[in-house]
Amino acid sequence: MEQVKVLSTWFSPFGRRILIALEEIGVKYEYQEEDLSNKSELLLQMNPVHKKIPVLVHNDQPICESLIILQYIDETWDSKQVSPFDRALARFWADFADKQFFDAGFRIVKSKDEAQEQAKREMLENLQFLEGALKEMSVSGSLPFFGGKDFGFLDIVLAPYVSWFHIFETIGNFKIPFETEYPLLDAWGKRCMERESVKKILPSSDRLLERVFQIRKKFVVD
Ligand code: GS8
């Protein structure tokens, strides 16, 4: 009997994507919620280098770093045929999302004044890049997802960020012009939110917002 266990925390976009991937392909797993201020022995033992969630433990073998875990899940349980070029393109944008996109988003959360304004400008520019990538990968919106007709690797990477858009707007006190500037991303985000896996795994935006305000308090006094 194979054992699949996920160590994560409910608000982490990195952790949520692992659960969405497992739900999508119907792999049964055990879930362990981690308190990041009091990490379990198992987490410290399974990810001694970074001591971060998410970790996937498959038959006692730990796999760390969410993008690497998603690739492992694809290689282990998913048989979708993706060309080397399309795979490289999806990995490029996943890397962009976690470095440049998340970085600007997190700076909106943890800064104010000019630093926050700068992060907001970068966020809008990053969304423009993602809109362009989606245009290319969905053949100008004729296919529903970054994965083309399938909800694929990059869709899973980005889906948890959809629930953060509203958080960035609320904390940054601005409106992201989705309908006019990023129409493909807008439609894609709505499509993601309708998927059973995503509805099941992502937290409500109220609960998330409350948590992110707590995180913000550690960095700035408003
Ligand atoms: C990021 C994971 C991460 O930041 C990945 O898996 O993709 N590149 C990694 N995990 C955070 C929680 S989410 O903000 C974490 O575990 N932090 C604990 C700590 O830093 O002590």
Side-chain angles (χ1 to χ4, degrees), residues 9 11-15 17-18 36 39 43 47 50-55 64-69 98 102 106 164 215:
T9 188
F11 60 85
S12 163
F14 308 108
R17 56 174 63 141
I18 306 309
L36 297 181
K39 295 171 188 166
L43 174 58
N47 190 357
H50 299 304
K51 305 177 181 61
K52 287 186 178 188
I53 59 91
V55 178
C64 302
E65 285 295 313
S66 66
L67 296 183
I68 294 172
I69 300 172
D98 280 6
F102 183 76
F106 200 51
W164 284 73
I215 295 173

Side-chain angles (χ1 to χ4, degrees), residues 143-160:
L143 298 171
F145 297 113
F146 281 94
K149 65 177 178 18
D150 295 315
F151 182 73
F153 169 80
L154 186 56
D155 297 287
I156 293 176
V157 167
L158 292 171

